[in-house]
Amino acid sequence: MADIAFLLIIFFMVTINFEVDKTQVFLPKTTIRLEIPKKAAYISITESGQIRVSGGEEISVPVHPEDVLSFAADVVARDPQKEFVLKADQSVPYRYVDGVIDSLKQAKARVIYLLSEQETIDTSAGGG
Amino acid sequence: MKFKRGSVNDEIPTASMADIAFLLIIYFMVTTTFAATRGIDFSLPQDDDSPLVDKEESVLIEIQPGGVLLVDNKPLPLDNILEYLKPKLERNPMKPVIIRANEMTEYGYMVSVFDELRQAPDKIGMEVKNVSIPTQREINMFWY
């Protein structure tokens, strides 16, 4: 019994995912969903437009929208190939997302992953 | 005073090991969060000097607040976008498609349009290769 228990413990220890960003958001739903590389930098935007950033290693910290550019530039300077993950609430007004994408473009980020949940038949039927 | 002799147990007591292990299992099960670690990828243009694609040559998808789509200034449901693009892509596979969301539009609608374009290989058998999402700053700088 103890052996089985220890095997399970090892399984959980290996698979545990330390989330760098614990912001609660309702993610948009998409059909295309690709695996996001580990250690990607995170930028989260809540419904009210609050932005938190994380370089991928540390817990995310809230930042002012104008500081996203300097954060992104710093991340890209350390690793030009770094992927960014945009974790934005599905009902956030687009201007907040626009500002973040613009900062990432100016910082010469290579690729952005728009974090999403799996779209199911039911949601796609009513969506638009 | 009497001391017990000869009854010292030289084995490590392992009877409670299973209990400890199960406590640890429960701890890991509770703290494991199945985080959403998937998303739709969007490559940013790397060429600094590339100007914004020509407005006249491209298909413009505007997203109004509430999710109303205007494709080349005509309202079109999301499901019909790929049908509309198909003949244009057959003529020019590199046909630029611009997604432009109103600043008050909810982000989810923009993602669903982008997702629809990414599904083109499954739905119409050809890829929409040239999708750009200009930001407001770029529009102000280059477009008008």
Side-chain angles (χ1 to χ4, degrees), chain B residues 3-116:
Chain B
F3 289 102
K4 270 189 176 177
R5 279 190 185 183
S7 63
V8 177
N9 194 349
D10 58 353
E11 284 179 23
I12 299 167
T14 53
S16 59
M17 197 66 99
D19 301 338
I20 298 166
F22 275 110
L23 273 180
L24 280 171
I25 288 175
I26 290 164
Y27 166 75
F28 278 113
M29 280 173 77
V30 170
T31 55
T32 299
T33 47
F34 289 99
T37 53
R38 284 171 170 266
I40 188 162
D41 64 318
F42 168 46
S43 296
L44 296 175
Q46 289 301 294
D47 190 0
D48 196 25
D49 301 326
S50 67
L52 217 58
V53 286
D54 189 1
K55 199 179 167 188
E56 304 299 319
E57 286 295 311
S58 57
V59 176
L60 175 66
I61 303 175
E62 285 176 278
I63 314 170
Q64 303 288 333
V68 179
L69 298 178
L70 294 178
V71 182
D72 289 341
N73 293 318
K74 288 184 285 287
L76 202 67
L78 181 66
D79 297 341
N80 295 1
I81 285 182
L82 290 177
E83 290 300 317
Y84 176 82
L85 286 175
K86 194 179 179 189
K88 294 175 187 293
L89 289 170
E90 276 165 356
R91 278 199 297 277
N92 177 11
M94 292 306 289
K95 185 88 179 169
V97 178
I98 300 173
I99 301 176
R100 201 184 151 188
N102 184 286
E103 63 167 25
M104 291 308 293
T105 304
E106 291 170 351
Y107 166 68
Y109 292 117
M110 174 267 177
V111 174
S112 53
V113 171
F114 190 56
D115 187 39
E116 180 77 8

Side-chain angles (χ1 to χ4, degrees), chain A residues 95-110:
Chain A
R95 65 171 183 276
Y96 295 111
V97 182
D98 185 82
V100 168
I101 292 179
D102 193 58
S103 300
L104 292 176
K105 279 185 174 177
Q106 288 187 63
K108 305 275 182 291
R110 197 174 56 88

